[in-house]
Amino acid sequence: MIPTEPIGSIPRPPELVAAIRAGATTGELAPLLEAAVRATVADFEATGASVISDGEQGKFENFWSYPLRGAANTAPDGFRIPVQTGSGLTSHRMPRLTHGPLRYQCYADQYLRAAQRHATRPFTQIKQAIISPSALSLLYPPDGLEGYPREQFLDDLVREHETEIRRCLDAGAHKVQIDFAEGPLAMRLDPSGALLASFVHLNNMALARFTAAERARIGLHVSAAGIRAPHGGADGVDYAELLPALFEIRAGSFYIAMAGQPDPERVLRIARDYARPEQRVFVGVVDPFDARIESAAQVRDRVLLAARYLAPPRLGTTDDAGFAPFFDDDSVSRATAFAKIRARVEGTRLASALLEGAA
């Protein structure tokens, strides 16, 4: 009755992490990556989840700039992104585009196909997370590039993003989830909202290239991770204030944080008031930033709370965020991640049964 889906990243096995940090070659990493994807798919299926992911095992650097890994026309000294991990606040340096044209070095359907090879249950469906064009727009240097105007760059970027989505849909993705990681960053950099509005517009330029039926298979995720300060506070940015702008993006599904929010009902009220009738809202019912494992009953109660604001046909459940999006953060173990996912699946099933009985 109520669908449940993961966000994406799962901590990689220690042997793969060690090989990456030791600078292993692509050939040396290949068998370790294959084993990691196989194990991740098996562990996902063991939770009882019908919708799973590859755990982003193959995005060796991070989920943000993977399409440009190895590009000859980039330099490593690009935009600095503040990143909140379980170990505290750090930063990630994006690549900087040195000349045009922009071309992806890989598309995410390769990760999807790798996961599909290892799925063993006939009802398993695999979703694929990708990065948004607005996040990658930060590749372009603020001073511009001679012979490659920003307008041409954005045209190329939107085309590459469209290509990636279509390749994933054609490969059989249950859902393509766009990570709108730069949403909280835009609020911090420009409290006026102009930067956030420009990001929303750019994402809608890309989504306008798809039919309504195609957009129903495209979702958008925004995590509160980029807002959390090292001391656990909000650092002057309110996640809930981001949500009205989020729902202006013409995706079919939205994945929002609720479990770790100080006022979950405020998040739910905003989702109820701003989400369009055709948009399904997947609310986070487990918090990857809390090492404590939620019980199925706790998840059940969070789903029932959400159902007071969003009717079951518009409601889904998810995780507040990925479990290891940057730097192979090991503050949450693989075992803990899958225990939380198992609680999400079971708690959603319990709530669905109660709601179905009430109906």
Side-chain angles (χ1 to χ4, degrees), residues 282-300:
F282 288 76
V283 298
V285 291
V286 297
D287 182 5
F289 292 93
D290 186 346
R292 295 170 296 182
I293 298 171
E294 293 85 352
S295 67
Q298 187 177 8
V299 170
R300 175 202 63 203

Side-chain angles (χ1 to χ4, degrees), residues 218-283:
I218 301 172
L220 190 128
H221 167 244
V222 61
S223 168
I227 288 175
R228 297 189 183 204
H231 50 75
D235 199 22
V237 177
D238 186 343
Y239 175 76
E241 290 182 358
L242 170 65
L243 298 180
L246 176 75
F247 289 115
E248 293 179 14
I249 298 176
R250 296 289 184 168
S253 296
F254 290 83
Y255 304 84
I256 63 174
M258 182 187 75
Q261 287 299 292
D263 188 353
E265 291 195 63
R266 179 165 175 250
V267 170
L268 291 169
R269 285 194 297 271
I270 292 172
R272 176 198 62 195
D273 294 343
Y274 285 90
R276 293 182 174 87
E278 72 275 12
Q279 295 171 334
R280 186 183 289 271
V281 181
F282 288 76
V283 298

Side-chain angles (χ1 to χ4, degrees), residues 1-3 272 277 279-281 303 305-316 355:
M1 186 177 180
I2 297 176
R272 176 198 62 195
Q279 295 171 334
R280 186 183 289 271
V281 181
V303 179
L305 173 64
R308 289 166 47 190
Y309 293 87
L310 296 161
R314 299 184 62 200
L315 179 62
L355 291 168

Side-chain angles (χ1 to χ4, degrees), residues 5 51 112 125-128 169 172-176 216-217:
E5 297 180 10
V51 179
L112 171 67
Q125 298 174 301
I126 301 176
K127 69 182 292 186
Q128 182 57 54
L169 293 177
H174 167 72
K175 195 81 65 68
V176 177
R217 295 173 62 194

Side-chain angles (χ1 to χ4, degrees), residues 50-129:
S50 59
V51 179
I52 69 172
S53 76
D54 73 331
E56 301 193 327
Q57 302 296 287
K59 295 177 181 177
F60 293 141
E61 293 174 345
N62 56 73
F63 74 98
W64 193 303
S65 53
Y66 69 88
L68 276 297
R69 184 172 185 264
N73 59 339
T74 62
D77 58 345
F79 189 84
R80 190 181 296 277
I81 303 165
V83 177
Q84 178 66 36
T85 70
S87 304
L89 190 66
T90 182
S91 64
H92 163 68
R93 206 75 187 250
M94 284 190 71
R96 172 177 57 86
L97 199 68
T98 57
H99 59 273
L102 173 79
R103 296 291 184 269
Y104 281 15
Q105 302 302 294
C106 74
Y107 299 98
D109 64 298
Q110 73 178 52
Y111 308 123
L112 171 67
R113 296 176 192 276
Q116 289 171 331
R117 291 197 298 269
H118 297 296
T120 61
R121 300 182 309 176
F123 54 85
T124 293
Q125 298 174 301
I126 301 176
K127 69 182 292 186
Q128 182 57 54

